[in-house]
Amino acid sequence: QVNAGLRSNDAHEDGAGYDTTFIAEPMEDVMIYHVRNMKIDGLDTRLVAVDGSSRKLSSPKFKLFIASVAVYGFGTAVWYYPQSRLMERKEFLGVKQSVENLRKIEEDEVLSQYVKVKFENSNVFFDESARDENISEDVRLGLENWAVEKLANKLEYGYSIILDGPLYLDVQRIKYIEGLTRRRIESLNKLEERGIPIIGVVKRIETSKRLCNKDTINILGESVGEKLNVDLDYCNDALVIQEIGKRIAYGATDVLLIGPLKQVYGRGASKDIRSFTLPERIFWFIYSGLGPKAIRVETLGSMYNNNKFRDTIETLVFWLAHTIEEKGIPRIINTVDRYAKYFTKRMFMSLGGIMKAMGIAFDYDTELEFLRIASDLARGDPNEYD
């Protein structure tokens, strides 16, 4: 019966962290919509969805981090990388080993085109001191950034992008993220110049604390019509949204859209974040009685405040809420997520098979994962791509 959220001391959110960089404040009056009661005439834009995925192959000798990216809705039904024939040269692998051996990969003319050994725009190697989750995130986000950059150069007015994940990672005391965030923001600016709105759908908000400030909690409570029972010392965004849903949702199939709110700097923002400008974001939260029950939808403030974009963005946000499926996630996000994970699984099995043929042993967890994925792919059930 505990009504308090978990605390976390990690340095950033949207991955596995504790968000103290930004808080969210209402733009005006926060609106709460019962989505099923609202009609959408249709979309006046063509949608392209983007998602990246990553997996780890571990052995006593080294760790191999595998990433893939899927683009759904542009050109062919789905475009993905890495493909069976590596027609383009982009790093989709990361290796954790000693600096001495990582330098050998870096100096190899072929391997260096496809294998990362350093964090983005830094001289910090993926050596024994680097955290596995940081390496995996760096390889995956580097590949996602590359795909978004390609879209920014190819798409024209009339398209919109739905991104599985935040528009950019918050930066706070983690230097390696800065290079990835800079590149992403450059792509976002290019998309805006070309008249292409972009929306991010964030599924993991249990460690985000954007809503966890007194004024925002009070305003949300006024929108609900009663005080929200949330302890600010043990608060996270998912908990706040679920508290709202418990009070006013009509049942498990009712979907609530809450927002918009705007991004402002929180008390925990470090000096590091001010070394470059992070564009303002506008947020909505979607509640349903399904899956994780709460997700966040975000877009750039400059896009939302531009009359050329606002109608399209608002329609897309309502459309995403309308298309929530059994897992509590919009249909288009479920689709591109399955593709991205499927391609990563295939590469995991291919490289894992090569390692086994060479007599390289897996660690225990990788061995279990190898057997599970082999079983999943043998069944061919798209629901097993999770």
Side-chain angles (χ1 to χ4, degrees):
Q1 297 179 5
V2 172
N3 191 32
L6 292 171
R7 280 180 168 174
S8 171
N9 292 318
D10 286 350
H12 70 94
E13 67 114 0
D14 294 331
Y18 176 52
D19 175 23
T20 57
T21 304
F22 298 116
I23 59 175
E25 290 184 349
M27 295 186 66
E28 295 173 354
D29 294 333
V30 175
M31 302 298 294
I32 301 179
Y33 303 92
H34 291 271
V35 174
R36 303 301 189 199
N37 296 336
M38 305 184 67
K39 292 184 178 180
I40 296 179
D41 294 333
L43 297 178
D44 60 353
T45 184
R46 297 180 63 180
L47 295 183
V48 178
V50 181
D51 187 26
S53 174
S54 59
R55 290 187 180 274
K56 177 177 67 176
L57 274 165
S58 295
S59 78
K61 293 185 175 182
F62 61 89
K63 293 183 179 180
L64 183 64
F65 300 85
I66 307 163
S68 72
V69 63
V71 177
Y72 173 67
F74 178 66
T76 57
V78 61
W79 177 90
Y80 64 94
Y81 187 86
Q83 296 156 325
S84 55
R85 295 181 62 193
L86 296 174
M87 304 297 290
E88 300 191 59
R89 299 173 182 178
K90 175 60 186 173
E91 305 102 324
F92 64 93
L93 299 173
V95 172
K96 182 175 183 178
Q97 235 281 334
S98 67
V99 171
E100 179 184 0
N101 286 317
L102 295 179
R103 288 189 191 279
K104 293 178 182 178
I105 296 174
E106 185 179 38
E107 294 166 359
D108 187 282
E109 185 177 349
V110 176
L111 286 178
S112 60
Q113 298 177 36
Y114 305 106
V115 183
K116 293 188 79 170
V117 296
K118 291 178 180 177
F119 288 108
E120 188 91 1
N121 292 339
S122 81
N123 200 37
V124 180
F125 281 95
F126 296 160
D127 64 9
E128 298 93 329
S129 66
R131 294 176 62 182
D132 288 1
E133 55 266 38
N134 291 350
I135 299 174
S136 181
E137 190 170 63
D138 184 277
V139 179
R140 176 181 58 80
L141 287 176
L143 202 54
E144 278 187 14
N145 278 352
W146 176 71
V148 172
E149 288 165 2
K150 289 176 71 69
L151 289 173
N153 290 324
K154 290 185 176 182
L155 295 183
E156 299 177 351
Y157 179 80
Y159 281 90
S160 298
I161 295 177
I162 307 293
L163 182 67
D164 187 349
L167 295 185
Y168 59 80
L169 282 183
D170 303 344
V171 180
Q172 187 185 5
R173 301 191 303 278
I174 298 187
K175 289 291 186 181
Y176 82 86
I177 296 178
E178 290 190 17
L180 294 165
T181 301
R182 287 178 191 272
R183 284 184 56 189
R184 176 64 63 82
I185 290 172
E186 289 172 1
S187 296
L188 297 178
N189 291 337
K190 184 176 289 187
L191 288 168
E192 185 169 9
E193 291 171 3
R194 295 173 71 94
I196 303 166
I198 183 167
I199 290 177
V201 178
V202 184
K203 297 177 288 190
R204 297 173 179 87
I205 63 172
E206 294 79 11
T207 52
S208 174
K209 297 171 67 68
R210 300 175 191 277
L211 301 176
C212 297
N213 63 89
K214 184 178 179 180
D215 292 339
T216 300
I217 293 292
N218 288 341
I219 291 173
L220 289 172
E222 291 173 2
S223 300
V224 173
E226 57 182 286
K227 183 178 180 180
L228 297 180
N229 184 25
V230 176
D231 184 342
L232 292 178
D233 291 329
Y234 296 89
C235 175
N236 61 62
D237 289 352
L239 185 69
V240 174
I241 298 303
Q242 289 167 17
E243 282 294 307
I244 293 174
K246 285 193 298 186
R247 285 166 168 75
I248 62 174
Y250 298 143
T253 60
D254 193 19
V255 177
L256 304 178
L257 180 64
I258 303 162
L261 302 98
K262 64 181 179 181
Q263 166 183 302
V264 297
Y265 284 99
R267 292 189 300 274
S270 70
K271 293 181 180 179
D272 291 343
I273 201 169
R274 301 184 188 278
S275 62
F276 62 95
T277 302
L278 296 178
E280 180 187 72
R281 284 175 287 187
I282 303 298
F283 308 112
W284 292 261
F285 291 85
I286 299 175
Y287 170 87
S288 72
L290 306 168
K293 297 185 183 295
I295 61 174
R296 185 175 80 235
V297 177
E298 59 186 46
T299 192
L300 291 182
S302 56
M303 289 186 177
Y304 185 72
N305 294 326
N306 187 330
N307 290 333
K308 294 180 180 178
F309 288 92
R310 178 172 288 205
D311 287 347
T312 298
I313 288 172
E314 289 185 337
T315 301
L316 282 173
V317 171
F318 279 105
W319 180 81
L320 287 167
H322 260 281
T323 58
I324 293 289
E325 296 188 321
E326 297 82 22
K327 295 181 181 179
I329 308 297
R331 183 181 306 119
I332 194 170
I333 293 296
N334 275 331
T335 300
V336 73
D337 179 73
R338 286 199 299 269
Y339 278 124
K341 288 178 177 176
Y342 173 66
F343 298 134
T344 309
K345 283 185 176 184
R346 288 202 322 189
M347 186 60 63
F348 180 95
M349 294 303 296
S350 296
L351 295 174
I354 293 171
M355 288 172 63
K356 280 184 172 290
M358 296 177 67
I360 300 173
F362 297 151
D363 66 13
Y364 179 73
D365 288 337
T366 298
E367 182 67 36
L368 292 181
E369 184 76 350
F370 188 87
L371 294 173
R372 186 184 71 83
I373 292 176
S375 176
D376 290 350
L377 293 177
R379 286 198 299 268
D381 182 353
N383 292 324
E384 297 294 336
Y385 296 171
D386 301 331

